């Protein structure tokens, strides 16, 4: 913690994966609660901080409370250095190769980032606390860990992972439990079901659908290629879910929590909802493409978040219908901007979401 002018302490948080969907919402949430927020950013040849644009400020300015550090969850020395520099009271480990389909193509890297990356951070935190620092850690677990386990899934449901990503998240979960028990560290595993937003990466199915259908509506593309339309997911709004992460770290004791809406929909139901917002018949435009199928699929996720409701007082605020609507409206606006630019003779880069 650092001193404020009035003698009160400013809490410090460190977020790995701050440039992602959740990291950006969490950073905004923590800044709004007065935290100094530190984030780890990967070096890239193009800007990867787009989601932070609204809160980024020149670090030379006085009183800036967002600080970015270059690093990588696969680089233990840099993680330790960042802990020393940021001196956090709370750490949120969100960094991950988070795409399930891609984890079949990049299995070793996914395990290095998701499983061993968490272990690296836990080792660094172990030494950081041994040096006298008090710190609390949130580990981003996933409903993918339940995989083939029958719904509804809660904290007592046995894991049955179905991808390299999910198996790596299970390993990370148990590393976190072990470090909590072995070294008495304050660590919480959040087992979050799917959560989406207008900031969702464009290769995840919800955003691929809202981007694709909005562009089809305005005549910017003809077809949308998708994989398995029967899979069912429990989809919530990401902004609601980052608050649950924070709540876990404010409790008297560390524990593990499922965060979910308790409502499940198929991919085709998502298509129905998005199409009705746009006045489209998706069946005329959507084509199935086997390249988007997974070698092993997760068919049915539906979370039971009773424990989070009771102990954290957490409940989702945004319904499935509201979520789809807000994503469609956002992507329709993007498609309108694209139309305006195209009509004015500009070349608009195709981001190739339909290729992934
Ligand atoms: P996301 O948008 O894919 O963001 C992932 C973040 O991790 C990005 O900031 C990314 O950086 C960073 N990252 C990737 N590899 C890294 C590495 N080697 N070193 C450091 N940073 C790295 O994911 P999200 O949806 O925000 O999810 C956040 C976390 O929650 C992830 O751990 C995910 O697996 C987990 N989770 C997500 C959901 C969900 O439905 N969204 C549900 C359950 C669990 P770049 O921006 O540079 O790529
Ligand atoms: N991505 C994608 N692209 N998925 C498709 C497509 C497609 O073209 N067509 C159908 N799907 C199906 C997938 O097979 C899956 O059953 C479902 O849509 C959801 O896929 P994603 O949106 O990629 O999400 P996910 O459920 O695999 O993983 C997300 O949620 C997990 C929590 O359960 C990711 O955010 C993970 O990081 C997260 O842990």
């Amino acid at each position: 913690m650092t001193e404020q002018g009035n003698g009160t302490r400013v809490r410090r948080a460190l977020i790995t994966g701050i440039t992602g969907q959740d990291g950006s919402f969490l950073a905004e949430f923590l800044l709004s609660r007065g935290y100094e927020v530190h984030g780890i950013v990967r070096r890239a040849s193009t800007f990867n901080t787009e989601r932070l644009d609204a809160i980024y400020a020149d670090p030379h300015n006085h009183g800036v409370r967002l600080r970015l550090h270059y690093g990588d969850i696969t680089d233990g020395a840099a993680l330790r250095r960042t802990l020393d520099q940021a001196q956090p009271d709370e750490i949120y480990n969100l960094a991950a190769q988070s795409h399930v389909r891609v984890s079949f193509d990049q299995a070793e890297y996914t395990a290095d980032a998701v499983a061993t990356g968490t272990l690296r951070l836990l080792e660094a935190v172990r030494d950081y606390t041994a040096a006298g620092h008090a710190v609390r850690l949130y580990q981003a677990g996933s409903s993918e860990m339940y995989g083939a386990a029958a719904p509804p899934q809660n904290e007592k449901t046995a894991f049955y992972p179905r991808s390299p990503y999910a198996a790596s998240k299970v390993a990370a979960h148990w590393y976190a439990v072990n470090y909590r028990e072995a070294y008495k560290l304050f660590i919480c595993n959040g087992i979050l079901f799917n959560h989406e937003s207008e900031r969702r990466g464009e290769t995840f199915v919800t955003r691929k659908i809202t981007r694709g259908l909005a562009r089809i509506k305005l005549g910017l593309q003809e077809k949308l290629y998708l994989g398995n339309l029967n899979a069912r997911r429990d989809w919530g709004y990401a902004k609601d879910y980052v608050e649950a992460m924070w709540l876990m770290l404010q409790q008297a004791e560390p524990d593990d929590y499922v965060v979910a809406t308790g409502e499940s929909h198929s991919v085709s139901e998502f298509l129905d909802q998005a199409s009705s917002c746009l006045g489209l018949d998706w069946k005329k435009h959507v084509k199935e493409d086997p390249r988007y199928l997974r070698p092993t699929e997760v068919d049915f996720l539906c979370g039971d978040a009773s424990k989070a409701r009771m102990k954290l007082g957490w409940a989702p605020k945004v319904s499935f219908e509201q979520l789809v609507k807000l994503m469609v409206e956002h992507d329709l606006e993007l498609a309108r901007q694209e139309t305006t630019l195209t009509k004015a003779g500009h070349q608009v880069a195709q981001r190739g979401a339909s290729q992934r």
Side-chain angles (χ1 to χ4, degrees):
M1 283 193 270
T2 45
E3 285 280 337
Q4 261 179 343
N6 59 10
T8 55
R9 314 282 279 169
V10 176
R11 291 189 70 73
R12 292 181 175 210
L14 172 65
I15 305 175
T16 74
I18 194 169
T19 55
Q21 171 190 256
D22 291 6
S24 65
F25 281 121
L26 179 63
E28 284 170 16
F29 174 81
L30 293 172
L31 287 169
S32 76
R33 297 196 78 93
Y35 280 71
E36 182 175 303
V37 175
H38 294 251
I40 293 181
V41 176
R42 295 195 287 177
R43 194 271 156 184
S45 65
T46 50
F47 280 113
N48 57 359
T49 51
E50 196 182 344
R51 291 187 180 103
L52 301 176
D53 282 351
I55 50 173
Y56 183 80
D58 188 329
H60 301 97
N61 295 348
H62 179 68
V64 170
R65 284 189 289 118
L66 175 67
R67 300 272 170 190
L68 302 179
H69 307 253
Y70 279 116
D72 198 295
I73 201 72
T74 61
D75 180 346
L79 288 177
R80 285 168 183 274
R81 201 174 309 120
T82 306
L83 280 187
D84 287 341
Q85 288 167 356
Q87 303 261 313
D89 306 295
E90 295 173 13
I91 301 173
Y92 296 85
N93 184 31
L94 310 185
Q97 188 303 93
S98 71
H99 201 286
V100 174
R101 176 68 191 83
V102 171
S103 79
F104 289 97
D105 301 328
Q106 288 194 275
E108 287 180 31
Y109 171 68
T110 301
D112 194 12
V114 175
T116 311
T118 302
L119 184 61
R120 267 182 210 105
L121 182 62
L122 288 168
E123 280 284 272
V125 166
R126 179 183 161 196
D127 293 346
Y128 179 67
T129 49
H133 299 282
V135 69
R136 297 179 169 205
L137 187 141
Y138 170 84
Q139 165 57 22
S142 163
S143 52
E144 278 291 301
M145 301 191 297
Y146 294 123
Q153 295 97 357
N154 66 23
E155 295 81 2
K156 294 197 172 75
T157 307
F159 298 139
Y160 189 158
R162 299 267 286 170
S163 64
Y165 167 80
S168 301
K169 281 287 184 190
V170 171
H173 175 97
W174 286 114
Y175 285 142
V177 171
N178 180 238
Y179 274 58
R180 182 167 68 207
E181 293 172 355
Y183 307 113
K184 311 289 175 249
L185 301 180
F186 193 110
I187 301 174
C188 298
N189 286 294
I191 306 175
L192 272 53
F193 282 62
N194 296 52
H195 44 279
E196 319 294 312
S197 73
E198 65 280 19
R199 294 187 199 168
R200 184 58 143 153
E202 293 179 26
T203 62
F204 296 98
V205 77
T206 55
R207 190 77 201 287
K208 189 170 162 182
I209 290 171
T210 58
R211 271 291 274 157
L213 292 184
R215 294 185 84 249
I216 287 168
K217 176 75 181 175
L218 296 200
L220 294 162
Q221 79 184 56
E222 280 180 25
K223 300 280 178 227
L224 176 61
Y225 294 95
L226 295 173
N228 175 15
L229 305 187
N230 299 318
R232 301 185 72 83
R233 291 290 182 273
D234 179 330
W235 279 299
Y237 184 41
K239 211 170 175 176
D240 289 345
Y241 285 45
V242 300
E243 192 166 349
M245 298 175 187
W246 175 79
L247 281 169
M248 287 178 212
L249 297 196
Q250 313 313 310
Q251 305 306 304
E253 298 296 332
D255 206 343
D256 304 329
Y257 299 88
V258 159
V259 179
T261 68
E263 197 180 305
S264 188
H265 296 273
S266 65
V267 174
S268 49
E269 285 165 13
F270 193 100
L271 281 161
D272 288 338
Q273 191 65 35
S275 301
S276 85
C277 295
L278 289 162
L280 277 179
D281 177 3
W282 63 264
K283 294 195 175 83
K284 289 186 181 152
H285 305 282
V286 170
K287 296 275 170 226
E288 293 198 37
D289 183 337
R291 92 174 68 182
Y292 302 117
L293 300 177
R294 289 143 194 216
T296 38
E297 175 62 286
V298 170
D299 295 320
F300 198 159
L301 293 176
C302 186
D304 164 14
S306 317
K307 181 175 169 184
R309 282 177 191 264
M310 207 170 63
K311 296 203 167 169
L312 305 179
W314 178 88
K317 298 184 188 94
V318 173
S319 69
F320 175 72
E321 292 75 17
Q322 289 169 323
L323 171 67
V324 178
K325 185 164 181 279
L326 76 84
M327 290 178 71
V328 165
E329 281 174 358
H330 177 271
D331 286 338
L332 196 54
E333 179 53 29
L334 281 189
R336 283 196 196 103
Q337 288 171 13
E338 193 178 335
T339 306
T340 308
L341 286 171
T342 310
K343 279 190 182 150
H346 295 284
Q347 265 202 335
V348 179
Q350 296 298 305
R351 284 190 269 192
S354 64
Q355 300 306 312
R356 292 174 222 156

